[in-house]
Amino acid sequence: MNIFELLRREDVRLLKILRKLDDTNATEIQVRELLLHQVRFHVVTMNEILREHFYPTIVLSLGRADPGIQEIVEQSRQEEDEIDQILDRLGEVQPWEKPYKHLIERLSSQARSGVERREREIYARAAKLMTGEQAEALGEMVAEELSTLRRSIT
């Protein structure tokens, strides 16, 4: 699987969990906690993959051909940091409290924005500059690392 297919699959997985979380109500405390745990797990593993493997690869190998990619990657990192902050704040609020729903909405909005930015501004640009072999090799390496990360976190 190439890197873009893998990352898109993971983005879809995150958005699916967030949709479920959006649909919960204040009485579904255990469901909310489980879904939020899944979101945290996904965000932690994907941030590791993006920051340690994908972003450095595209900046180093594609930066000369597309100098704007560095700025776009930095914007994505900032969005990821904001998601981390929202997740931290959610850990401080009880699932039945009013701020919880607002934080869930912010989390969903920020995550969707990040996915759209990566798709529109990073994946599309990188796919034009990366060969099929490069995308495949990076995808295989990242899939293996993702599997290792998921085993180590659980």
Side-chain angles (χ1 to χ4, degrees), residues 36-46 150 153-154:
L36 189 56
H37 175 74
Q38 290 175 0
V39 169
R40 273 194 187 100
F41 179 80
H42 189 86
V43 166
V44 165
T45 56
M46 288 310 297
R150 286 183 172 152
I153 292 175
T154 56

Side-chain angles (χ1 to χ4, degrees), residues 3-110:
I3 188 65
F4 305 109
E5 292 167 349
L6 184 142
L7 293 175
R8 285 180 181 117
R9 181 192 72 196
E10 294 302 319
D11 286 344
V12 167
R13 186 176 287 167
L14 174 62
L15 295 176
K16 186 176 178 180
I17 298 167
L18 287 169
R19 271 193 301 278
K20 289 179 185 178
L21 187 58
D22 285 343
D23 291 341
T24 63
N25 63 52
T27 62
E28 298 174 289
I29 295 168
Q30 289 179 322
V31 173
R32 279 184 167 182
E33 289 175 344
L34 173 66
L35 291 170
L36 189 56
H37 175 74
Q38 290 175 0
V39 169
R40 273 194 187 100
F41 179 80
H42 189 86
V43 166
V44 165
T45 56
M46 288 310 297
N47 281 354
E48 178 80 13
I49 292 298
L50 290 168
R51 291 174 179 213
E52 296 298 320
H53 301 286
F54 183 66
Y55 293 155
T57 299
I58 64 170
V59 168
L60 288 174
S61 62
L62 309 177
R64 285 192 210 131
D66 187 350
I69 199 81
Q70 175 68 42
E71 183 180 332
I72 294 166
V73 164
E74 187 54 40
Q75 290 170 350
S76 287
R77 285 182 174 150
Q78 289 172 1
E79 287 177 342
E80 292 155 12
D81 289 343
E82 290 175 27
I83 289 171
D84 288 340
Q85 291 171 0
I86 295 168
L87 286 169
D88 289 345
R89 180 72 178 110
L90 277 164
E92 301 167 358
V93 177
Q94 297 301 319
W96 59 85
E97 294 177 340
K98 272 192 172 186
Y100 192 91
K101 187 67 173 175
H102 173 73
L103 288 167
I104 293 297
E105 290 167 358
R106 280 188 49 215
L107 174 67
S108 292
S109 174
Q110 193 69 28

